[in-house]
Amino acid sequence: MSPPHAVVAGAGIGGLTAAVALHRRGWRVTVCERSPQPSATGAGIVLAPNALRAFDAIGFDAGRAAGRAVPAAMGLRRPDGRWLNRADASALTARYGRPPLAVYRPALAEGLAAALPDTAIHYGARVTGVDHEPGSPDAPVVRTSAGDLRADVVLAADGIHSGLRRAYFPDHPGLHYSGATAWRTVLPADGPTGQPPATAETWGRGERFGVVPLADGRVYLYATAVVPEGHRPADVRAELLRRFASWHDPIPALLERIGPATVLQHDLYDLAAPLPRLHHGRIAWLGDAAHAMTPNLGQGGCQAVEDAVVLAHLLDAGADVPAALAAYDAARRSRTDAIRVRSRRAGRIAALSRPLAVAVRDLAVRAAPATATRRALDDLFDGFTLPEHTPRPGA
């Protein structure tokens, strides 16, 4: 008997994680990616302890794939350099079993792809729809630009602008603009003797700047600003210098190293409302396609990893697929939507621009008791769990 076949729409971190997890559970996997080849450029991603725990559950070593170095500390700062709060990696390790791991996103994707059979990923194959042959509700046919594929389950990991989400939820209000845009880039390693900068996010008035040394020695930079939707400066480097060159060290020196051609800019969106469900028959949505969220908690990619691992766990070879997808919805929808809402609220606080509001915000962050901060992190970092398996047919 041939193994069941899963078709994954999208070769992002969520889609690739789902493919690896299912492959290791005996499924035949086909990943359809609309891009003609793997991306050679990208940004960083911070894998929080919950995502690393999910990777552990499928036997994937993210550190081996993308580097193991971790920062000594991380926290929030003001533009003058004063720390608003700070957490030592050793304290996070003691509480959660490991600290967050910041890695280069393309390196992580390459490591996940390497864990799949050579023929599993089809680049240049855009999923255009999913149909069912007459009289065969259990046999979805995935329509792609490279041909049709029959599947036992279809995983929609096709990103924030998911075509499959629009097709199956036409009445959903879609995306909500957060009011801010983001610039991202990765600087090359500064040589074997260079000391990595501190991991920090700095909050100004309607602006933020983040510095994250990556595990392979590179430095991930990101910045956000409250601007009209679609705002695109003619000179990106000049725009960033204008906004941030007067901020604390090492931000000015890092800005001088930026190559404008490497800077990615994206307006920040999340889903305007939760999806009514994360599945339909033999199709399931995960990651940004299911619950797009702003990056203010650093959980977008982490929740995609959790989704993928929970899906594969419930879709253990031989499981009743519709029942497994219903169980996935029950296990994931409330957690992911709560984090989506929480991230939106955090973004609004970070984006405050009036001087009095900013002063009150900064004072509140500095005065927040450590117990409150720990409780907030506990909900994120300790929130990953694997639900019970769904019954197999006839069980």
Side-chain angles (χ1 to χ4, degrees):
M1 182 176 179
S2 60
H5 183 210
V7 173
V8 182
I13 299 304
L16 289 173
T17 302
V20 171
L22 286 171
H23 170 64
R24 293 183 174 183
R25 287 186 172 273
W27 284 71
R28 181 168 67 90
V29 178
T30 302
V31 181
C32 296
E33 169 55 43
R34 64 183 176 184
S35 299
Q37 59 190 9
S39 175
T41 61
I45 180 171
V46 178
L47 299 173
N50 53 302
L52 294 172
R53 193 171 296 119
F55 276 136
D56 285 348
I58 63 170
F60 179 77
D61 188 338
R64 182 178 181 183
R68 298 186 185 279
V70 297
M74 56 199 75
L76 291 175
R77 304 178 80 170
R78 302 193 328 180
D80 62 7
R82 183 180 301 180
W83 289 91
L84 296 173
N85 66 27
R86 197 174 187 182
D88 291 335
S90 58
L92 293 174
T93 302
R95 190 169 185 85
Y96 303 112
R98 70 201 70 199
L101 179 66
V103 301
Y104 188 45
R105 187 182 288 264
L108 177 61
E110 182 180 354
L112 287 164
L116 292 169
D118 292 342
T119 59
I121 305 177
H122 295 193
Y123 291 102
R126 181 173 63 90
V127 173
T128 59
V130 180
D131 295 326
H132 293 84
E133 292 188 346
S136 301
D138 293 340
V141 178
V142 183
R143 310 296 185 186
T144 85
S145 57
D148 295 346
L149 297 167
R150 285 175 172 77
D152 296 285
V153 70
V154 181
L155 304 186
D158 51 342
I160 191 169
H161 299 289
S162 170
L164 290 176
R165 183 182 67 227
R166 291 194 302 270
Y168 280 86
F169 302 101
D171 297 327
H172 187 271
L175 298 176
H176 158 264
Y177 179 52
S178 71
T181 196
W183 297 274
R184 299 180 176 94
T185 191
V186 174
L187 301 180
D190 199 19
T193 60
Q195 292 298 315
T199 298
E201 182 171 287
T202 302
W203 287 2
R205 295 173 51 188
E207 298 171 329
R208 287 177 286 167
F209 197 96
V211 180
V212 183
L214 301 180
D216 63 2
R218 284 178 276 198
V219 180
Y220 169 41
L221 305 180
Y222 62 90
T224 72
V226 175
V227 298
E229 186 177 10
H231 169 78
R232 294 295 182 271
D235 187 330
V236 172
R237 190 166 178 274
E239 175 86 351
L240 295 174
L241 286 167
R242 179 181 69 81
R243 290 180 178 275
F244 303 106
S246 65
W247 287 24
H248 65 79
D249 291 334
I251 291 174
L254 293 171
L255 288 172
E256 292 293 339
R257 295 179 55 200
I258 285 179
T262 69
V263 178
L264 307 174
Q265 182 178 355
H266 297 97
D267 291 345
L268 299 179
Y269 298 90
D270 63 4
L271 280 192
L275 292 181
R277 59 189 182 280
L278 301 184
H279 70 108
H280 179 91
R282 287 176 173 258
I283 307 173
W285 283 261
L286 69 151
D288 283 345
H291 44 69
M293 59 185 70
T294 54
N296 302 299
L297 299 178
Q299 280 289 313
C302 295
Q303 290 306 304
V305 171
E306 286 193 18
D307 288 346
V309 172
V310 169
L311 260 172
H313 172 76
L314 293 168
L315 282 169
D316 201 5
D320 181 305
V321 171
L325 299 190
Y328 162 73
D329 177 86
R332 297 297 300 159
R333 189 148 52 97
S334 61
R335 172 165 167 79
T336 55
D337 192 58
I339 294 174
R340 179 189 65 86
V341 172
R342 183 174 160 188
S343 185
R344 180 185 289 187
R345 291 172 178 166
R348 289 173 177 166
I349 293 170
L352 292 172
S353 59
R354 294 184 178 181
L356 180 58
V358 169
V360 171
R361 175 198 69 191
D362 291 355
L363 179 61
V365 172
R366 291 184 65 191
T371 52
T373 302
R374 285 196 295 268
R375 282 197 300 270
L377 291 179
D378 286 351
D379 183 55
L380 296 176
F381 294 173
D382 279 340
F384 169 71
T385 57
L386 288 175
E388 292 184 6
H389 279 93
T390 52
R392 298 184 181 220

